């Protein structure tokens, strides 16, 4: 079953702007992962943050994790049209089983 | 390039007619997963294999079965597809988790199943 919620459900921004997506979850976790899905395609792993980490960077991506609030955020800086996609957070309680949030649809207008 | 391959990319089947979707990987990962993703929804795990050990999710319908004849291949069998089974089916692989470590999953491009 779905672990949590993401907001916003949809986000539309201009190229060059920053995009922030939030994810909340319900149970304790081992780690949280973010994935991108282009329309009609498979998912691509973006970043993994462990429960004992608070912030992680990868290129233009910045992820934060607040385990006390059971929430995470994904920031994409200087967005590009190619960043248009759906973004999902997924939590791992144990092993490798992912439980996905509902996703945020990001549209970057050029 | 190491990758996860799904065939076919698009599959049309008739109501009640058995269908098999296939997945292969060149990553030599010991865990393989099948997800169902309906339109505008999140992927939902159906089952996974850790090596040859099969793990079914509690709410996966009996209509869905899986086979993993070897490390590289995994199949999803839908015995009697209903209209509600129309969806994107995603295969993924990962290294096996141990202790507190877990790893990212690598997804195939998916098979879009239409039931007529």
């Amino acid at each position: 079953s779905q672990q949590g919620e993401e907001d916003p459900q949809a986000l539309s921004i201009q190229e060059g702007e920053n995009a922030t997506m939030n994810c909340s979850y319900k149970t304790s976790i081992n780690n949280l992962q973010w994935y991108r899905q282009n329309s009609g395609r498979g998912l691509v792993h973006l970043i993994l943050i462990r429960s004992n980490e608070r912030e992680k960077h990868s290129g233009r991506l910045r992820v934060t994790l607040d385990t006390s609030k059971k929430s995470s955020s994904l920031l994409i800086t200087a967005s590009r049209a190619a960043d248009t996609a759906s973004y999902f957070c997924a939590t791992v309680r144990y092993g490798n089983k992912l439980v996905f949030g509902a996703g945020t649809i990001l549209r970057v207008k050029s | 390039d190491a990758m996860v391959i799904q065939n076919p990319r698009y599959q049309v089947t008739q109501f009640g007619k058995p269908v098999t979707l296939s997945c292969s990987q060149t990553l030599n990962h010991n865990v393989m997963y099948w997800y169902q993703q309906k339109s505008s929804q999140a992927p939902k795990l159906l089952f996974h294999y850790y090596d040859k050990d099969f793990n079914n999710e509690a709410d996966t319908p009996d209509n869905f079965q899986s086979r993993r004849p070897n490390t590289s291949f995994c199949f999803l069998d839908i015995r009697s597809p209903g209209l509600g089974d129309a969806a994107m089916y995603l295969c993924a692989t990962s290294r096996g988790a141990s202790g507190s470590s877990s790893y990212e999953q690598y997804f195939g491009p998916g098979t879009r199943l239409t039931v007529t």
Side-chain angles (χ1 to χ4, degrees):
Chain A
S1 60
Q2 204 164 297
Q3 165 71 298
E5 299 297 322
E6 290 181 62
D7 78 273
Q9 290 186 327
L11 179 61
S12 183
I13 59 174
Q14 290 293 135
E15 205 165 25
E17 293 180 339
N18 295 341
T20 299
M21 288 159 268
N22 303 296
C23 166
S24 61
Y25 56 92
K26 298 173 183 171
T27 63
S28 61
I29 61 171
N30 176 287
N31 66 74
L32 185 145
Q33 303 179 27
W34 285 90
Y35 287 81
R36 183 186 75 228
Q37 185 177 34
N38 291 88
S39 180
R41 305 286 295 182
L43 283 80
V44 174
H45 178 263
L46 296 176
I47 200 162
L48 182 155
I49 186 165
R50 302 191 191 285
S51 59
N52 61 353
E53 297 176 309
R54 292 295 166 258
E55 188 171 312
K56 209 160 181 183
H57 297 254
S58 176
R60 294 184 295 114
L61 306 181
R62 172 177 168 255
V63 167
T64 62
L65 179 64
D66 187 335
T67 52
S68 66
K69 295 181 180 177
K70 291 187 169 58
S71 67
S72 175
S73 68
L74 169 67
L75 168 67
I76 304 173
T77 60
S79 64
R80 305 166 182 168
D83 295 328
T84 294
S86 294
Y87 291 81
F88 293 92
C89 70
T91 54
V92 177
R93 289 191 67 189
Y94 53 86
N96 258 17
K97 288 178 59 171
L98 296 175
V99 179
F100 285 90
T104 294
I105 300 171
L106 173 65
R107 180 181 171 218
V108 181
K109 296 177 284 187
S110 56
Chain B
D1 287 340
M3 56 198 307
V4 182
I5 303 161
Q6 289 189 246
N7 286 305
R9 292 292 312 281
Y10 301 90
Q11 175 73 57
V12 179
T13 191
Q14 292 176 336
F15 183 94
K17 185 174 181 181
V19 65
T20 295
L21 310 182
S22 72
C23 176
S24 63
Q25 55 134 339
T26 60
L27 296 160
N28 204 32
H29 285 166
N30 52 350
V31 191
M32 294 187 77
Y33 310 80
W34 279 104
Y35 291 87
Q36 180 192 64
Q37 185 179 27
K38 295 189 175 180
S39 182
S40 302
Q41 294 184 19
K44 179 178 176 296
L45 182 65
L46 295 173
F47 24 60
H48 73 280
Y49 276 92
Y50 195 121
D51 293 323
K52 285 194 172 291
D53 292 335
F54 176 72
N55 299 272
N56 198 36
E57 293 302 296
D59 55 356
T60 297
D62 293 339
N63 199 23
F64 291 84
Q65 295 180 331
S66 184
R67 297 170 283 134
R68 189 180 185 186
N70 54 53
T71 301
S72 301
F73 286 87
C74 196
F75 300 97
L76 170 62
D77 300 310
I78 308 177
R79 289 192 294 185
S80 182
L83 298 178
D85 297 327
M88 175 78 89
Y89 290 87
L90 297 164
C91 174
T93 72
S94 74
R95 294 164 61 187
S98 62
S100 60
S101 296
S102 59
Y103 303 99
E104 65 266 33
Q105 294 186 14
Y106 294 77
F107 283 80
T111 294
R112 184 166 297 283
L113 178 68
T114 300
V115 181
T116 61

